[in-house]
mmCIF file of all heavy atoms in Angstrom:
data_model
loop_
_atom_site.group_PDB
_atom_site.id
_atom_site.type_symbol
_atom_site.label_atom_id
_atom_site.label_comp_id
_atom_site.label_asym_id
_atom_site.label_seq_id
_atom_site.Cartn_x
_atom_site.Cartn_y
_atom_site.Cartn_z
ATOM 1 N N ASN A 424 -8.199 -22.251 -7.020
ATOM 2 C CA ASN A 424 -9.645 -22.410 -6.994
ATOM 3 C C ASN A 424 -9.980 -23.897 -6.891
ATOM 4 O O ASN A 424 -9.105 -24.712 -6.577
ATOM 5 C CB ASN A 424 -10.279 -21.760 -8.230
ATOM 6 C CG ASN A 424 -10.490 -20.269 -8.054
ATOM 7 O OD1 ASN A 424 -11.389 -19.840 -7.349
ATOM 8 N ND2 ASN A 424 -9.646 -19.461 -8.699
ATOM 9 N N HIS A 425 -11.230 -24.279 -7.148
ATOM 10 C CA HIS A 425 -11.672 -25.665 -6.932
ATOM 11 C C HIS A 425 -12.433 -26.197 -8.142
ATOM 12 O O HIS A 425 -13.518 -26.768 -8.013
ATOM 13 C CB HIS A 425 -12.563 -25.745 -5.691
ATOM 14 C CG HIS A 425 -11.874 -25.371 -4.422
ATOM 15 N ND1 HIS A 425 -11.110 -26.246 -3.689
ATOM 16 C CD2 HIS A 425 -11.827 -24.183 -3.755
ATOM 17 C CE1 HIS A 425 -10.625 -25.628 -2.622
ATOM 18 N NE2 HIS A 425 -11.045 -24.378 -2.642
ATOM 19 N N PHE A 426 -11.870 -26.018 -9.306
ATOM 20 C CA PHE A 426 -12.544 -26.508 -10.502
ATOM 21 C C PHE A 426 -12.567 -28.033 -10.523
ATOM 22 O O PHE A 426 -11.741 -28.699 -9.885
ATOM 23 C CB PHE A 426 -11.848 -25.968 -11.750
ATOM 24 C CG PHE A 426 -11.874 -24.476 -11.862
ATOM 25 C CD1 PHE A 426 -10.722 -23.727 -11.687
ATOM 26 C CD2 PHE A 426 -13.063 -23.808 -12.127
ATOM 27 C CE1 PHE A 426 -10.743 -22.343 -11.775
ATOM 28 C CE2 PHE A 426 -13.098 -22.432 -12.219
ATOM 29 C CZ PHE A 426 -11.935 -21.693 -12.043
ATOM 30 N N THR A 427 -13.514 -28.578 -11.277
ATOM 31 C CA THR A 427 -13.595 -30.032 -11.463
ATOM 32 C C THR A 427 -12.992 -30.391 -12.813
ATOM 33 O O THR A 427 -13.111 -29.642 -13.784
ATOM 34 C CB THR A 427 -15.058 -30.504 -11.394
ATOM 35 O OG1 THR A 427 -15.855 -29.722 -12.294
ATOM 36 C CG2 THR A 427 -15.605 -30.350 -9.998
ATOM 37 N N TRP A 428 -12.390 -31.544 -12.854
ATOM 38 C CA TRP A 428 -11.619 -31.936 -14.035
ATOM 39 C C TRP A 428 -12.519 -32.439 -15.148
ATOM 40 O O TRP A 428 -13.500 -33.135 -14.916
ATOM 41 C CB TRP A 428 -10.615 -33.021 -13.648
ATOM 42 C CG TRP A 428 -9.785 -33.487 -14.808
ATOM 43 C CD1 TRP A 428 -9.920 -34.648 -15.501
ATOM 44 C CD2 TRP A 428 -8.715 -32.773 -15.416
ATOM 45 N NE1 TRP A 428 -8.987 -34.722 -16.510
ATOM 46 C CE2 TRP A 428 -8.231 -33.576 -16.484
ATOM 47 C CE3 TRP A 428 -8.113 -31.550 -15.176
ATOM 48 C CZ2 TRP A 428 -7.179 -33.184 -17.291
ATOM 49 C CZ3 TRP A 428 -7.059 -31.155 -15.979
ATOM 50 C CH2 TRP A 428 -6.607 -31.963 -17.019
ATOM 51 N N ASP A 429 -12.184 -32.037 -16.369
ATOM 52 C CA ASP A 429 -12.782 -32.679 -17.541
ATOM 53 C C ASP A 429 -11.700 -32.802 -18.605
ATOM 54 O O ASP A 429 -10.597 -32.280 -18.463
ATOM 55 C CB ASP A 429 -14.010 -31.923 -18.053
ATOM 56 C CG ASP A 429 -13.679 -30.507 -18.523
ATOM 57 O OD1 ASP A 429 -12.484 -30.203 -18.729
ATOM 58 O OD2 ASP A 429 -14.614 -29.710 -18.671
ATOM 59 N N ALA A 430 -12.011 -33.490 -19.658
ATOM 60 C CA ALA A 430 -11.003 -33.809 -20.676
ATOM 61 C C ALA A 430 -10.421 -32.571 -21.342
ATOM 62 O O ALA A 430 -9.303 -32.600 -21.864
ATOM 63 C CB ALA A 430 -11.610 -34.731 -21.732
ATOM 64 N N SER A 431 -11.175 -31.478 -21.339
ATOM 65 C CA SER A 431 -10.691 -30.266 -22.005
ATOM 66 C C SER A 431 -9.821 -29.402 -21.096
ATOM 67 O O SER A 431 -9.355 -28.345 -21.518
ATOM 68 C CB SER A 431 -11.881 -29.428 -22.494
ATOM 69 O OG SER A 431 -12.667 -28.992 -21.394
ATOM 70 N N GLY A 432 -9.619 -29.838 -19.855
ATOM 71 C CA GLY A 432 -8.828 -29.050 -18.913
ATOM 72 C C GLY A 432 -7.367 -28.975 -19.304
ATOM 73 O O GLY A 432 -6.884 -29.736 -20.144
ATOM 74 N N PRO A 433 -6.616 -28.044 -18.709
ATOM 75 C CA PRO A 433 -5.194 -27.894 -19.041
ATOM 76 C C PRO A 433 -4.396 -29.118 -18.620
ATOM 77 O O PRO A 433 -4.679 -29.733 -17.600
ATOM 78 C CB PRO A 433 -4.779 -26.651 -18.242
ATOM 79 C CG PRO A 433 -5.756 -26.581 -17.112
ATOM 80 C CD PRO A 433 -7.038 -27.105 -17.651
ATOM 81 N N LYS A 434 -3.420 -29.461 -19.416
ATOM 82 C CA LYS A 434 -2.599 -30.630 -19.128
ATOM 83 C C LYS A 434 -1.341 -30.273 -18.343
ATOM 84 O O LYS A 434 -0.609 -31.137 -17.896
ATOM 85 C CB LYS A 434 -2.197 -31.325 -20.442
ATOM 86 C CG LYS A 434 -3.390 -31.761 -21.291
ATOM 87 C CD LYS A 434 -4.289 -32.732 -20.552
ATOM 88 C CE LYS A 434 -5.400 -33.264 -21.449
ATOM 89 N NZ LYS A 434 -6.370 -32.231 -21.842
ATOM 90 N N ARG A 435 -1.095 -28.985 -18.200
ATOM 91 C CA ARG A 435 0.084 -28.542 -17.460
ATOM 92 C C ARG A 435 -0.191 -27.161 -16.878
ATOM 93 O O ARG A 435 -1.199 -26.530 -17.186
ATOM 94 C CB ARG A 435 1.318 -28.486 -18.374
ATOM 95 C CG ARG A 435 1.130 -27.621 -19.600
ATOM 96 C CD ARG A 435 2.270 -27.789 -20.591
ATOM 97 N NE ARG A 435 2.073 -26.977 -21.788
ATOM 98 C CZ ARG A 435 2.485 -25.725 -21.928
ATOM 99 N NH1 ARG A 435 3.138 -25.139 -20.927
ATOM 100 N NH2 ARG A 435 2.272 -25.048 -23.032
ATOM 101 N N CYS A 436 0.694 -26.686 -16.020
ATOM 102 C CA CYS A 436 0.489 -25.396 -15.357
ATOM 103 C C CYS A 436 1.034 -24.234 -16.168
ATOM 104 O O CYS A 436 0.515 -23.124 -16.076
ATOM 105 C CB CYS A 436 1.152 -25.399 -13.979
ATOM 106 S SG CYS A 436 0.206 -26.335 -12.764
ATOM 107 N N GLU A 437 2.076 -24.436 -16.934
ATOM 108 C CA GLU A 437 2.664 -23.349 -17.714
ATOM 109 C C GLU A 437 1.832 -23.147 -18.978
ATOM 110 O O GLU A 437 1.889 -23.940 -19.912
ATOM 111 C CB GLU A 437 4.119 -23.666 -18.047
ATOM 112 C CG GLU A 437 4.992 -23.703 -16.800
ATOM 113 C CD GLU A 437 6.420 -24.100 -17.098
ATOM 114 O OE1 GLU A 437 6.647 -25.305 -17.317
ATOM 115 O OE2 GLU A 437 7.293 -23.223 -17.114
ATOM 116 N N GLN A 438 1.049 -22.076 -18.992
ATOM 117 C CA GLN A 438 0.077 -21.836 -20.065
ATOM 118 C C GLN A 438 0.221 -20.423 -20.629
ATOM 119 O O GLN A 438 -0.726 -19.655 -20.655
ATOM 120 C CB GLN A 438 -1.341 -22.014 -19.513
ATOM 121 C CG GLN A 438 -1.660 -23.396 -18.991
ATOM 122 C CD GLN A 438 -2.064 -24.341 -20.099
ATOM 123 O OE1 GLN A 438 -2.693 -23.940 -21.071
ATOM 124 N NE2 GLN A 438 -1.685 -25.589 -19.973
ATOM 125 N N ARG A 439 1.412 -20.042 -21.019
ATOM 126 C CA ARG A 439 1.657 -18.692 -21.548
ATOM 127 C C ARG A 439 1.261 -17.630 -20.525
ATOM 128 O O ARG A 439 1.885 -17.517 -19.490
ATOM 129 C CB ARG A 439 0.926 -18.502 -22.884
ATOM 130 C CG ARG A 439 1.268 -19.521 -23.941
ATOM 131 C CD ARG A 439 0.555 -19.238 -25.260
ATOM 132 N NE ARG A 439 -0.851 -18.961 -25.113
ATOM 133 C CZ ARG A 439 -1.768 -19.919 -24.961
ATOM 134 N NH1 ARG A 439 -1.417 -21.185 -24.943
ATOM 135 N NH2 ARG A 439 -3.041 -19.596 -24.856
ATOM 136 N N THR A 440 0.216 -16.868 -20.796
ATOM 137 C CA THR A 440 -0.202 -15.807 -19.886
ATOM 138 C C THR A 440 -1.362 -16.245 -18.997
ATOM 139 O O THR A 440 -2.049 -15.409 -18.409
ATOM 140 C CB THR A 440 -0.631 -14.561 -20.677
ATOM 141 O OG1 THR A 440 -1.724 -14.905 -21.539
ATOM 142 C CG2 THR A 440 0.517 -14.024 -21.493
ATOM 143 N N ILE A 441 -1.592 -17.548 -18.910
ATOM 144 C CA ILE A 441 -2.688 -18.085 -18.109
ATOM 145 C C ILE A 441 -2.093 -18.806 -16.901
ATOM 146 O O ILE A 441 -1.258 -19.689 -17.051
ATOM 147 C CB ILE A 441 -3.552 -19.079 -18.915
ATOM 148 C CG1 ILE A 441 -3.892 -18.503 -20.286
ATOM 149 C CG2 ILE A 441 -4.805 -19.452 -18.143
ATOM 150 C CD1 ILE A 441 -4.622 -17.190 -20.248
ATOM 151 N N ASN A 442 -2.525 -18.418 -15.697
ATOM 152 C CA ASN A 442 -2.028 -19.055 -14.478
ATOM 153 C C ASN A 442 -3.130 -19.937 -13.906
ATOM 154 O O ASN A 442 -4.190 -19.444 -13.511
ATOM 155 C CB ASN A 442 -1.614 -17.992 -13.452
ATOM 156 C CG ASN A 442 -0.820 -18.593 -12.301
ATOM 157 O OD1 ASN A 442 -0.787 -19.812 -12.121
ATOM 158 N ND2 ASN A 442 -0.186 -17.740 -11.519
ATOM 159 N N VAL A 443 -2.883 -21.246 -13.879
ATOM 160 C CA VAL A 443 -3.880 -22.206 -13.410
ATOM 161 C C VAL A 443 -3.337 -23.082 -12.283
ATOM 162 O O VAL A 443 -3.945 -24.100 -11.940
ATOM 163 C CB VAL A 443 -4.365 -23.104 -14.571
ATOM 164 C CG1 VAL A 443 -5.162 -22.308 -15.582
ATOM 165 C CG2 VAL A 443 -3.191 -23.802 -15.248
ATOM 166 N N VAL A 444 -2.222 -22.708 -11.671
ATOM 167 C CA VAL A 444 -1.618 -23.533 -10.628
ATOM 168 C C VAL A 444 -2.593 -23.708 -9.459
ATOM 169 O O VAL A 444 -3.318 -22.788 -9.081
ATOM 170 C CB VAL A 444 -0.279 -22.918 -10.155
ATOM 171 C CG1 VAL A 444 -0.493 -21.588 -9.449
ATOM 172 C CG2 VAL A 444 0.469 -23.891 -9.247
#
Side-chain angles (χ1 to χ4, degrees):
N424 277 285
H425 297 276
F426 298 109
T427 52
W428 180 256
D429 62 15
S431 63
K434 302 300 185 293
R435 56 190 179 89
C436 284
E437 294 176 284
Q438 298 277 326
R439 304 183 313 280
T440 60
I441 313 302
N442 192 346
V443 292
V444 66

